[in-house]
Amino acid sequence: MSRPCAYCYCQLAPDKVLCCGKCKVRAFCSKQCQKADWKSSHKLWCGKVGELGVDFEIRDCGSKGLGVFPLRNLKQGDKILVERCIIQRGENDSYHAKDLFEIATTLQKGPPSILSTVKALSPVDNDDILVKFSNNVFGLSPGQGLCLTASRFNHSCVPNCDRYFLHDQNLMIISASCAIREGEELTISYAELAKGRKESFAMYRSRLQDCWHFSCTCRACQNPEVAAMLLQCSMLDEQIVTLGSTGREREAYQVGEELIRLYDQVGMTPLSYERTYYDMFQMTVVRKQTMPAAIHCIQKCLEYKMMAVGGTTPEHDGIARIRSFVENPSSHRCYLQLEGVR
């Protein structure tokens, strides 16, 4: 199987593969690419993440075009891919002539192999670089970025992988949200439902179609019961914020417990659990009486965050922040804020 260089994406001849001397797996076309990749990402993730052509492959998956498939069984929490963005933009979502010029100029200055890899992205029948960028770009909150291998992952409304942008490392990470069998397609979510039932599931599917030009056929799209549970999750997620901001933290905590039960039924990703447990922690750290629940929630929050994006030393900033609350709940700004308040 032909493998690309991990840094410049050129295809490697079997007798021209230069592997990392430490993990013996990550492949390069030259010492220059190896050094650049070590500096940008591999130093932190060497031996801790999957590799294209070794742990997973990109291949045809029928009507959806290309997709990503594991070459071995994956465990929940396995780190499948860590990848830098080849192009990043600010928060502006609109594109103008100058944007195309800037993107094209950036690509032209880089290795020809990167430009050809971008042109091979969907839609396959369009050679417009701006169209390629806008159709495959990831939201980085804030900003946007294009990751060439991550762009090959197809969407599912109930994905089996989590994706997360590590801002402090400037890297996109994709990890297994559950146990995944060899040969089962790896999927991520391209977009979430609008919070608080602001759109029906049909409207959500229409939005996916308008943005990415495909019709999703995942189990939520084929099973109305699963779709209804996703809508309920979206509504409850909004309720936690609303109740908490109006001083009804006990009710917000109960909504969080209901959300966790729904997550178990649907099979939601670790980052969904992490976000909800953090909300529940904020609802309980405000009073001494509910401190045992707060400690439990922040420990679960850390567990799920580690499962999705943990694995490096030093730790990712987001993990370090949660760990600080585990070790010292009083460091949170809401600590005992409502103690003595009825």
Side-chain angles (χ1 to χ4, degrees):
M1 180 188 302
S2 177
R3 297 178 64 190
C5 171
Y7 191 77
C8 77
Y9 297 91
C10 73
Q11 291 300 308
L12 302 171
D15 60 340
K16 299 290 185 181
V17 176
L18 177 65
C19 286
C20 169
K22 187 176 180 181
C23 68
K24 312 294 184 185
V25 177
R26 197 161 175 86
F28 304 97
C29 66
S30 66
K31 283 285 187 182
Q32 289 77 11
C33 280
Q34 184 179 8
K35 289 179 180 178
D37 187 64
W38 181 261
K39 183 178 180 181
S40 68
S41 66
H42 197 50
K43 182 178 182 179
L44 283 172
W45 289 98
C46 182
K48 302 172 183 176
V49 66
E51 297 293 342
L52 177 58
V54 177
D55 301 283
F56 63 93
E57 66 177 347
I58 297 170
R59 61 176 170 84
D60 183 78
C61 58
S63 60
K64 293 190 292 184
L66 296 178
V68 184
F69 297 82
L71 295 171
R72 60 176 176 84
N73 292 336
L74 299 174
K75 303 185 298 296
Q76 185 182 43
D78 278 355
K79 308 303 181 289
I80 299 166
L81 171 70
V82 169
E83 184 177 33
R84 79 190 195 283
C85 296
I86 61 158
I87 299 176
Q88 286 183 242
R89 283 174 41 84
E91 296 183 56
N92 187 8
D93 288 333
S94 61
Y95 300 104
H96 304 284
K98 67 179 183 66
D99 298 308
L100 175 58
F101 177 78
E102 290 172 0
I103 292 170
T105 300
T106 300
L107 288 171
Q108 292 290 351
K109 288 181 177 179
S113 52
I114 288 183
L115 180 59
S116 62
T117 305
V118 172
K119 288 184 176 180
L121 296 175
S122 66
V124 293
D125 58 349
N126 193 310
D127 204 38
D128 190 316
I129 294 299
L130 184 56
V131 171
K132 300 287 188 179
F133 180 83
S134 61
N135 200 64
N136 294 280
V137 72
F138 289 98
L140 306 181
S141 299
Q144 301 169 315
L146 181 62
C147 302
L148 296 183
T149 304
S151 292
R152 292 300 191 181
F153 283 72
N154 285 320
H155 165 86
S156 171
C157 303
V158 191
N160 57 15
C161 295
D162 254 323
R163 68 173 176 88
Y164 186 84
F165 188 66
L166 302 163
H167 283 278
D168 55 319
Q169 299 177 17
N170 204 34
L171 298 169
M172 180 71 72
I173 182 169
I174 295 178
S175 58
S177 296
C178 57
I180 303 172
R181 296 187 305 274
E182 178 182 347
E184 178 184 350
E185 187 180 5
L186 302 173
T187 57
I188 59 176
S189 174
Y190 288 3
E192 293 185 344
L193 277 156
K195 295 286 192 296
R197 290 196 184 278
K198 292 177 181 176
E199 64 180 352
S200 66
F201 199 76
M203 291 166 62
Y204 168 67
R205 293 193 68 208
S206 178
R207 177 157 59 93
L208 291 172
Q209 174 72 47
D210 291 342
C211 291
W212 290 283
H213 315 293
F214 71 89
S215 181
C216 185
T217 58
C218 74
R219 63 187 177 91
C221 293
Q222 296 177 336
N223 187 332
E225 291 184 5
V226 178
M229 284 191 285
L230 287 179
L231 283 170
Q232 182 72 358
C233 285
S234 176
M235 183 187 71
L236 294 176
D237 197 21
E238 178 77 4
Q239 277 188 14
I240 290 182
V241 177
T242 302
L243 290 169
S245 64
T246 56
R248 300 159 68 185
E249 76 282 350
R250 293 181 179 88
E251 293 175 65
Y253 184 83
Q254 291 172 348
V255 169
E257 290 181 314
E258 187 177 349
L259 250 181
I260 295 297
R261 287 192 291 269
L262 268 175
Y263 289 167
D264 291 341
Q265 293 179 54
V266 176
M268 297 293 275
T269 67
L271 286 177
S272 298
Y273 283 87
E274 177 259 334
R275 183 179 66 243
T276 297
Y277 272 119
Y278 185 74
D279 288 340
M280 294 167 70
F281 165 69
Q282 294 195 108
M283 299 304 120
T284 49
V285 76
V286 295
R287 300 176 191 272
K288 187 179 295 184
Q289 182 182 7
T290 54
M291 197 55 61
I295 292 171
H296 167 74
C297 289
I298 199 62
Q299 288 174 340
K300 296 296 290 184
C301 177
L302 178 62
E303 174 188 332
Y304 282 107
K305 190 79 165 184
M306 285 291 295
M307 193 181 297
V309 303
T312 61
T313 304
E315 287 187 323
H316 160 55
D317 285 352
I319 290 176
R321 177 171 174 268
I322 295 171
R323 190 180 298 281
S324 71
F325 297 143
V326 170
E327 296 172 351
N328 183 18
S330 65
S331 64
H332 192 274
R333 60 182 176 81
C334 294
Y335 180 72
L336 300 187
Q337 194 176 66
L338 298 182
E339 184 64 18
V341 178
R342 293 193 177 189

